[in-house]
Each structure stands twice: as C-alpha cells, then as structure tokens.
Amino acid sequence: EPEVTQTPSHQVTQMGQEVILRCVPISNHLYFYWYRQILGQKVEFLVSFYNNEISEKSEIFDDQFSVERPDGSNFTLKIRSTKLEDSAMYFCASSSTDLGYTFGSGTRLTVV
Amino acid sequence: DQQVKQNSPSLSVQEGRISILNCDYTNSMFDYFLWYKKYPAEGPTFLISISSIKDKNEDGRFTVFLNKSAKHLSLHIVPSQPGDSAVYFCAASARNTGNQFYFGTGTSLTVIP
C-alpha cells in the first residue's frame, strides 16, 4: 500500500536554528499538507499546498515557516529560527482529491 | 475557536463490548467527516468517513453515525478488541472552504482484555 514517508523520525535542534522536515507524498497525489501536534494537545493544521503554491495556511504558519516542493517528489517544511514552542510532532499528509488523507508517521521535533 | 469537539478525553471498554466515541461540531457548513486512529509515535490512520448526504456508514466492525440536526457524529466499534486501543480523532471539512480539515482533540480508547 502506498505510503507517505517522513524523515527524520526525530530531530533535535537548538533554539534559533533552522530545521527542514522532509516528506515524500504518494506519487500521484496532488494535495499536500502539514499538521502538527504538540504533546497532549489537538492536531493542528499548518498549511495546504496544491499546484505548486500554498492554497491555505493557519495562523500558526507565520513568516518563520515555509514549504517547498523542490523536485516534484519531496515536500518540505522549513522553520527558519526555531522556538521552544515549536517542539511537536509534525505530520505530512497527501491526498489525490479533497476526500481524506494519507498521513506520514511524523517527525518529532525537539527544540532545546 | 474549537469547531470540532470530542468531550470525552478517554474511554475504557471491556473486550467484546461496544465502544462509542462521540464528536460534536459547530459549523453547519461541514459536509464531510472522518475518523482517524492514532497509535503513539505514529501518524493518524484513516479509519472511516461519512458525507452529509448519509446518516450511517459501516465498514466491518466500525460504523459512523451522523446526526446533522444535532451536529453530532459517533463512531461505534463492535466488538471492541484490545488492538483498538488508540487515540481516535474526528475531523470535519466543508467543500466550499477548501481542503482544510478541523480535528477534534481526540479520545483515548482503552479496550480491557
């Protein structure tokens, strides 16, 4: 069964450093998303991406965040200057239509 | 503003019995709903969906019921199995607002052998 692959599974970074979280969506999917879940809290939407541009983003997705699909297969989330409160599980998802998603297994980001 | 609510953070059920997980929403424009299951340290896994033109959808041991007038949906698991122990999220979307899904805070289900 096709999978959404996320790397790394766990990233530890110092506050103020830049991190790039990587995702390989399912190959024929057209819609791509990032979500995050801070420990013990709800899953939060960050951004959706379609046709090589951001289609929607939440309040959380401020200027510190950016997404890119650099080579037609990878979908990356960059956080320019990490803060302690960015520590969370980050989930990538993709879908072929607007009905339901396939999620990756997540990247746990720990900012120290 | 929490548009999708799961008011029970946890639920314990004996193996073989029915598990009922509840979800309420506030936005009457929502027309598509999903349930996800999440094990620790893994991404959410799609479980079952329902669109607003239906009031019930069944897939094996899992049935989702939608009550549009009450803005309420529920997931029934019959019979419950220990492997069903996980966190269950409901999510809702409205076609006319793009592809953003709104998630509830989750209900942690424990099925006791």
Side-chain angles (χ1 to χ4, degrees), chain B:
Chain B
D1 180 26
Q2 187 70 20
Q3 298 196 50
V4 178
K5 298 178 185 177
Q6 292 175 258
N7 292 319
S8 298
S10 63
L11 175 68
S12 290
V13 171
Q14 288 283 341
E15 180 178 2
R17 300 287 191 112
I18 184 171
S19 296
I20 301 176
L21 297 99
N22 293 305
C23 180
D24 297 290
Y25 60 95
T26 57
N27 188 342
S28 58
M29 299 301 294
F30 286 148
D31 54 13
Y32 192 69
F33 307 89
L34 303 98
W35 283 95
Y36 284 90
K37 178 166 119 172
K38 184 183 174 304
Y39 293 113
E42 293 185 12
T45 304
F46 171 76
L47 199 56
I48 193 168
S49 64
I50 190 167
S51 74
S52 59
I53 61 173
K54 293 184 164 185
D55 54 19
K56 177 182 172 182
N57 190 25
E58 192 171 353
D59 183 3
R61 296 185 297 114
F62 301 92
T63 303
V64 56
F65 294 93
L66 175 62
N67 183 334
K68 291 184 287 294
S69 60
K71 295 193 186 69
H72 177 84
L73 66 155
S74 61
L75 175 69
H76 293 210
I77 307 173
V78 183
S80 302
Q81 298 173 354
D84 296 329
S85 297
V87 179
Y88 289 78
F89 292 95
C90 69
S93 74
R95 300 278 183 134
N96 65 354
T97 60
N99 302 316
Q100 180 179 348
F101 278 81
Y102 296 85
F103 284 83
T105 50
T107 297
S108 177
L109 173 66
T110 302
V111 179
I112 304 163

Side-chain angles (χ1 to χ4, degrees), chain A residues 31 42 56 91 98-99 101, chain B residues 2 43 95 99-101 103:
Chain A
Y31 301 85
K42 62 179 178 171
E56 198 166 355
F91 294 104
D98 57 355
L99 300 178
Y101 306 148
Chain B
Q2 187 70 20
R95 300 278 183 134
N99 302 316
Q100 180 179 348
F101 278 81
F103 284 83

Side-chain angles (χ1 to χ4, degrees), chain A residues 2 5 11 16-17 22 25 42 45 48 66 71 76 85 87-89 93-94 103-104 110-111:
Chain A
T5 306
Q11 173 93 44
Q17 294 295 306
R22 302 181 192 280
K42 62 179 178 171
F45 168 76
S48 60
S66 62
D71 55 13
T76 61
E85 54 265 36
S87 296
M89 282 289 286
S94 68
F103 279 88
T110 303
V111 182

